[in-house]
Amino acid sequence: MSSPTKTRLHWHDLPAHVRAAVEAVLGDRVVTAESQPGGFSPGTADRVRTARGGRAFVKAVSPAQNDRSPAMHRAEARIAAALPATAPTPRLLGSHDDGDWIALVYADVEGRHPVTPWDFGELAAVLSTLETMAATLTPAPTVATSTAAESLTPDFAGWRRIADDPPADLDPWARAHLSELRAAADHGLAALAGDTLCHLDVRADNLLLGPDGTVTVVDWPWACRGPAWLDTLLTVVNVQVYGGIDPDALLATRPLTAHVDPADLTGVLAGFTGFFLDAARQPPPPGIPTVRAFQRLQADALLPWLARRLGG
């Protein structure tokens, strides 16, 4: 699992009016709150229990923690409210938005994150769930106004930014193949057409495994319209980051990726690798000091795989 933010707020750090608004959504008074690890949001992420025994998950943030986080919470509130009940996602109970603080209140989901390095049985359950989810979310709900290509265009220009200003520690193979890497990322961007609602950020800490074996996909601020196979590829990316399972064997055997043009998959992989490598050298965002190290971890794990797929 990725390193959590070190500056996360807790339930009792929230202003009184925000806590009161959450309690109004729940129809009861919160008596206990347990902060949850994982992820990178500097806002709250608490499992709460109410006086009458009700349970919920609450996440809240304001611009004081990070200036981009409130917009992400607002996007997630919009998407979550439109997700069908049949999707393997938590149910949004309500939200509070006063223009400064935004809080999302979800039905509590009992579960834990998959272990990393990934366990093959847990991975099979996750991939099967993503395949069912892709069918459920095709066509995408109309709330998904952005396409994957629109969302990822700035990110997939990472190799161009690296070529314009190569870091001193750039891998020698990457330095020698920058033109090919830029072209591959451009190809990947063009391959992202589709009408499936894609999560776009599937990784171990955005998944919960229930005691009955069910899988719940959480945290939807980046959702967009794209190809049905995109979330499967992103999960395999996360598998490669932690090692131990052959990523190409996974892509070749899962129904959503087995028949996709290998150049399309390689191109999207190139786009994400360039994004991670370029982003990792930027200053950390306010309130999220650990994200750059995780981006570098991902880039370093993906580059050898990408080189193999490109014949390097």
Side-chain angles (χ1 to χ4, degrees):
M1 186 170 61
S2 56
S3 300
T5 177
K6 305 301 182 186
T7 56
R8 174 162 290 165
L9 297 179
H10 295 170
W11 165 256
H12 293 292
D13 297 321
L14 294 175
H17 77 277
V18 177
R19 297 198 305 270
V22 170
E23 291 176 334
V25 170
L26 295 172
D28 199 3
R29 178 172 55 90
V30 170
V31 293
T32 64
E34 181 180 358
S35 184
Q36 301 301 294
F40 294 96
S41 171
T44 67
D46 291 283
R47 295 179 75 180
V48 303
R49 184 171 60 84
T50 68
R52 293 195 295 271
R55 295 185 179 275
F57 174 76
V58 179
K59 55 194 298 184
V61 75
S62 79
Q65 290 77 55
N66 178 274
D67 58 356
R68 294 184 61 195
S69 293
M72 291 173 59
H73 274 42
R74 290 185 178 99
E76 182 175 352
R78 182 172 53 85
I79 293 289
L83 291 171
T86 51
T89 60
R91 181 168 58 94
L92 183 69
L93 302 177
S95 61
H96 162 77
D97 188 350
D98 58 24
D100 184 28
W101 284 93
I102 177 164
L104 281 63
V105 186
Y106 286 98
D108 187 47
V109 176
E110 185 179 0
R112 60 170 178 81
H113 300 306
V115 298
T116 50
W118 280 77
D119 169 82
F120 197 83
E122 293 182 0
L123 176 61
V126 166
L127 293 175
S128 293
T129 297
L130 293 179
E131 289 152 11
T132 301
M133 184 175 82
T136 301
L137 298 179
T138 305
T142 56
V143 70
T145 55
S146 297
T147 67
E150 290 167 343
S151 297
L152 292 172
T153 290
D155 296 346
F156 277 30
W159 287 117
R160 296 186 183 281
R161 291 187 290 269
I162 290 169
D164 290 341
D165 181 23
D169 64 347
L170 182 61
D171 177 88
W173 178 86
R175 187 181 296 272
H177 292 82
L178 283 171
S179 179
E180 184 180 4
L181 289 164
R182 292 197 306 269
D186 289 345
H187 180 99
L189 200 63
L192 290 172
D195 194 27
T196 298
L197 183 67
C198 302
H199 180 280
L200 203 60
D201 197 25
V202 183
R203 58 180 195 250
D205 61 332
N206 282 336
L207 298 162
L208 292 174
L209 301 177
D212 59 354
T214 58
V215 178
T216 303
V217 185
V218 303
D219 291 344
W220 285 79
W222 305 111
C224 59
R225 289 180 284 116
W229 48 263
L230 181 55
D231 285 338
T232 294
L233 175 61
L234 286 168
T235 306
V236 177
V237 162
N238 195 244
V239 171
Q240 170 66 10
V241 167
Y242 293 107
I245 298 175
D246 181 357
D248 289 313
L250 288 172
L251 294 177
T253 55
R254 301 308 304 191
L256 288 181
T257 52
H259 303 294
V260 176
D261 184 341
D264 291 353
L265 298 174
T266 302
V268 175
L269 174 61
F272 279 109
T273 305
F275 163 64
F276 291 138
L277 191 60
D278 178 55
R281 61 183 180 157
Q282 308 304 321
I288 315 177
T290 61
V291 69
R292 299 306 185 207
F294 185 54
Q295 288 169 332
R296 184 57 190 253
L297 173 71
Q298 293 176 100
D300 290 346
L302 296 181
L303 191 59
W305 179 27
L306 176 60
R308 291 196 306 271
R309 289 187 65 94
L310 288 172

